[in-house]
Structures are given as structure tokens and as C-alpha cells.
Amino acid sequence: MMAPETSPEPNAGRPKMILLVEDSPDIRELATSSLRSADFEVIEAANAEQALEILAGMPSAPDLLITDLMLPGLNGHELAGLVRAQHPGVRVLFTTGHGAEALDSRQLASGLSAHLQKPFSLRVLRQRVREMLDVSSTH
């Protein structure tokens, strides 16, 4: 007798999708390249407004939002709040070159957010992303 078929998870087999919001073109390009080389799907935005436009056209929520805290226009905290209003379970990795006082402890307390201090190595970025997405580091 054959075992009953189980349907795979809806997102099984697809790369984890990351929405990366960084106003520095050099940092954005390096981070995107590094994450793509680790088999993540990365969609880039230069600011919060562009990220929200991209998000509105996406068929599903990203698995992770990586956002600089200090962005022109809406800041990273405001962006995260707007993204989570539409998609409450989205994980957020805040990056900042400023001290811990720039962080919103309520966002971090949710367990769905983390912080990465700039400057950071690309290895550390990939490691933190894997930790947040519970992805094996065997890529």
C-alpha cells in the first residue's frame, strides 16, 4: 500500500525572497550580489517609497525586509510598520551606522526583527539572514 501524498508547502522549493532597502548604491549592490550568490532572491529599492511601490506589485510578501534605518523620506522604522500593516509576519533586519539609540526596542522585542551594525562583512550579513529565515547555511 502506498503512503498518501502530501501536498508541499506553498513556497517549498522557491528561494527565500528578500526586499532590500538601502539608499547607498554601493552598499545595496554589494549586499544584493552577496545574497544572490547565497541563493536568495533579492529585490532592491533605494528608498522606502520605492520599496512600498514594489511591495504593492508583488504577488506575495517578502520573507525578509532588510532596511537601513536612516533613509531619505520615510525611515526604516516607518517602512517596517507600513510593511507589517499589510503583512504582519514579515521579518525585518534593520541596518544602521548609528548607535543602538537609533533602534526602536518595541520593534526588536517582537522577535521578528533584528539589528545589524554597519559596517558589517558580507559573510556576517549572509549569516544573519540565514538565522532570521531559518535557512541551512550549507549553500
Side-chain angles (χ1 to χ4, degrees):
M1 178 173 213
M2 296 180 73
E5 287 187 37
T6 57
S7 58
E9 292 182 36
N11 296 330
R14 77 157 175 80
K16 297 289 187 178
M17 187 185 317
I18 298 169
L19 178 55
L20 173 67
V21 188
E22 171 59 59
D23 59 323
S24 167
D26 293 339
I27 294 173
R28 189 173 62 246
E29 185 178 317
L30 283 171
T32 296
S33 176
S34 178
L35 291 168
R36 284 181 178 156
S37 73
D39 295 328
F40 293 107
E41 181 179 341
V42 182
I43 300 168
E44 305 172 54
N47 56 51
E49 291 78 9
Q50 185 180 28
L52 292 170
E53 287 175 21
I54 291 168
L55 185 65
M58 292 173 65
S60 61
D63 296 296
L64 177 66
L65 168 65
I66 300 175
T67 182
D68 190 358
L69 276 175
M70 301 302 166
L71 294 168
L74 294 173
N75 68 39
H77 288 298
E78 293 165 329
L79 173 60
L82 291 171
V83 170
R84 284 197 173 137
Q86 295 175 35
H87 306 286
V90 170
R91 296 179 183 279
V92 180
L93 177 59
F94 294 105
T95 64
T96 183
H98 299 275
E101 67 277 357
L103 296 167
D104 181 341
S105 59
R106 293 168 299 180
Q107 293 253 10
L108 296 177
S110 72
L112 294 174
S113 299
H115 155 252
L116 189 58
Q117 185 69 39
K118 290 180 182 178
F120 49 81
S121 72
L122 296 174
R123 181 187 59 76
V124 169
L125 172 65
R126 289 188 304 268
Q127 179 182 351
R128 183 63 60 89
V129 167
R130 285 184 183 112
E131 289 169 1
M132 291 193 73
L133 294 175
D134 247 356
V135 174
S136 167
S137 60
T138 59
H139 288 267

